[in-house]
Amino acid sequence: MIYLAIGFPPAAKSCAYRMRETANKFVELGWDVTVLTIAEESWEREYGLDHTLSDPVDPRVRVVELPLAREDLETDIRLFTEDRALNPIRWMQRERERHLEHFPEPVFGGWRSALEQGVLDIHREFPADMLLASCAPYVNLAAAWKLWETHKVPYAIDFRDGWSVDVIGGGEAFTRDSEAGQWEDRVLSDATAIWCVNDPIANFYRERYPELAERVHVVRNGFDPDSVPEVHGEPAAEEGLTFGYLGSVNFKPAFLATVLDGWRAARERDPLVARSRFEIRGHIGAGASREANAHMTLIRQAEADGVLFGGPVAKAEVAATYGRWDALVLMLVGGRFVTSGKVYEFMASGLPVVSCHEVDHDASHVLAGHPLWTGAVGLDAEGIADSFVKAARMAVEATPEQRAEARAHSARFTRGLLMAPAAEQLSHAVRPALLAGGAGA
């Protein structure tokens, strides 16, 4: 199997967890897996590398790296062209236009020929019986189609968040008759399976392509057991609590400002929260804007309110990080089309969870029934303040039975349990083609 997985470990990307589990599951099922990704050096321009992500990758997984990188994230001005140095905005516009000439994706479209050649080269050396493409980037679809067009190798698409669905704003991102729509229509029409991370996205595709409805499957993200901390004891309330957020800070500054306003309001009305801390961990910005942006300004301005930024967390340190916190703050953009991967980890921690997202959000459906969840109140600072106060009380009053119930609520979302049936189903789906000699030709 060729696995198109740009973001595979050790890339410090949230998608790396899903990709790692996917590759490992197919190896367990007897597949010889070759991952096609980009060079490690390329990730240093974005969020960086986390080599602890690579430790659990099955040693039988073969990884092929292409020398591709995002030029717009280059920070060494000695490598800039004169045009980029003198007029960076115009250069960026032309860079986007250059990518769009190859594929309708303004940041990655120019990678098309290299990815197509990459899968053909792998197939020449290790004849493939199946290809699985993980999106984004969506230019991976072109490479999947190329191998199908030239060698009729069956393929599946792990859309994760989908392409033609606007997961943040809701509804359609582009029409079926647009260039992107025609590409999606063409590639999905011959796909063996189409994976999505939640029911709203899957239903969007079933309605958009009713003839493909039976091939659309929900494959949720889930959590890794090694990210779950030891059972949390009773916190020292007299010293104050530690609220924590772990994840990429990729939402708008105004969103973060609202959450921080809610935190300040909670400190004003509750003495326990007033002597507590709010720690933000993860990646803030990429390339030249890494930890040098409006989000960092807001966090620094809130230091007097007990807010601090602790930087990214290596995968091997995730459980210990959760173990030092008393309650979690789930900051998410979007609505019913967005779940996020962190919601599963947050549930499994057994800690109180403060929801800072829209009420009609898929994370709300996942958290429903969690005994230590404050509930979704929307993006209103006063409502969020009430949730902080409520979570603080939960943290000091939760019984061992409630914490155990919270962990039990998340048990069905273990990443391996969610991925195993999907990998088995896809393996069975391509077998008729293999028996008929339709692949590897």
Side-chain angles (χ1 to χ4, degrees), residues 21 25 28-29 219 414-427:
E21 186 66 40
K25 273 290 175 286
E28 291 173 12
L29 291 172
V219 185
T414 302
R415 197 185 302 275
L417 291 177
L418 295 172
M419 181 58 66
E424 292 171 2
Q425 184 181 48
L426 181 56
S427 295

Side-chain angles (χ1 to χ4, degrees), residues 68-88:
L68 294 170
R70 286 183 56 178
E71 294 301 324
D72 60 310
L73 295 182
E74 177 58 70
T75 57
D76 188 343
I77 61 173
R78 296 170 297 180
L79 301 178
F80 286 13
T81 62
E82 182 178 358
D83 181 50
R84 181 177 185 180
L86 296 178
N87 197 329

Side-chain angles (χ1 to χ4, degrees), residues 30-360:
W31 288 88
D32 178 8
V33 178
T34 299
V35 170
L36 183 62
T37 183
I38 63 176
E40 289 188 14
E41 294 79 6
S42 303
W43 297 114
E44 293 177 347
R45 294 186 181 186
E46 196 183 65
Y47 288 140
L49 299 169
D50 178 2
H51 287 285
T52 67
L53 281 167
S54 300
D55 294 339
V57 174
D58 193 297
R60 292 169 290 182
V61 175
R62 183 186 303 108
V63 178
V64 175
E65 298 179 352
L66 295 179
L68 294 170
R70 286 183 56 178
E71 294 301 324
D72 60 310
L73 295 182
E74 177 58 70
T75 57
D76 188 343
I77 61 173
R78 296 170 297 180
L79 301 178
F80 286 13
T81 62
E82 182 178 358
D83 181 50
R84 181 177 185 180
L86 296 178
N87 197 329
I89 295 178
R90 182 178 63 185
W91 179 87
M92 183 66 75
Q93 291 173 338
R94 291 178 175 174
E95 180 73 358
R96 298 290 187 259
E97 292 168 357
R98 180 181 68 82
H99 281 282
L100 289 171
E101 290 174 358
H102 301 273
F103 186 84
E105 192 172 18
V107 177
F108 306 102
W111 292 5
R112 176 183 171 183
S113 60
L115 291 170
E116 289 178 341
Q117 190 59 51
V119 297
L120 291 174
D121 290 344
I122 293 173
H123 180 66
R124 185 178 301 110
E125 186 174 0
F126 307 103
D129 299 301
M130 178 174 66
L131 179 146
L132 175 61
S134 184
C135 303
Y138 302 103
V139 69
N140 281 339
L141 299 176
W145 178 256
K146 186 68 173 181
L147 195 59
W148 168 257
E149 189 178 38
T150 56
H151 297 288
K152 286 295 179 286
V153 175
Y155 62 90
I157 306 298
D158 183 7
F159 255 146
R160 287 155 36 200
D161 288 335
W163 191 17
S164 59
V165 56
D166 180 357
V167 296
I168 303 300
E172 184 181 59
F174 49 77
T175 62
R176 290 190 67 170
D177 59 359
S178 64
E179 184 181 4
Q182 292 176 46
W183 261 107
E184 184 181 78
D185 198 335
R186 178 188 310 126
V187 177
L188 295 192
S189 64
D190 285 309
T192 300
I194 302 157
W195 291 357
C196 306
V197 296
N198 60 37
D199 290 293
I201 296 176
N203 290 334
F204 171 89
Y205 275 101
R206 289 169 184 144
E207 293 173 6
R208 187 178 179 88
Y209 305 101
E211 70 279 11
L212 305 178
E214 292 184 354
R215 298 187 228 165
V216 178
H217 308 282
V218 175
V219 185
R220 290 187 172 273
N221 278 318
F223 70 94
D224 301 304
D226 61 3
S227 295
V228 178
E230 297 295 327
V231 176
H232 203 285
E234 184 176 333
E238 66 279 0
E239 299 176 7
L241 308 174
T242 300
F243 289 75
Y245 168 81
L246 174 58
S248 298
V249 178
N250 50 16
F251 31 77
K252 293 182 179 180
F255 177 94
L256 178 60
T258 298
V259 175
L260 294 177
D261 286 343
W263 169 254
R264 293 187 185 94
R267 287 168 64 84
E268 292 174 359
R269 70 181 62 164
D270 185 86
L272 177 55
V273 181
R275 58 179 183 269
S276 298
R277 300 157 297 283
F278 180 11
E279 184 177 355
I280 298 174
R281 302 295 303 270
H283 297 282
I284 300 183
S289 65
R290 189 185 304 176
E291 297 180 21
N293 48 36
H295 301 87
M296 286 301 303
T297 299
L298 288 169
I299 293 171
R300 292 191 184 99
Q301 291 173 343
E303 287 179 355
D305 300 306
V307 179
L308 60 148
F309 173 64
V313 177
K315 175 64 172 176
E317 300 172 3
V318 169
T321 300
Y322 286 134
R324 292 193 294 270
W325 292 340
D326 302 298
L328 303 177
V329 183
L330 184 63
M331 295 188 283
L332 297 174
V333 297
R336 66 188 184 92
F337 288 111
V338 178
T339 304
S340 93
K342 284 300 174 185
V343 65
Y344 303 106
E345 275 186 7
F346 278 31
M347 285 196 306
S349 70
L351 299 174
V353 178
V354 176
S355 273
C356 299
H357 54 71
E358 297 288 354
V359 175
D360 185 17

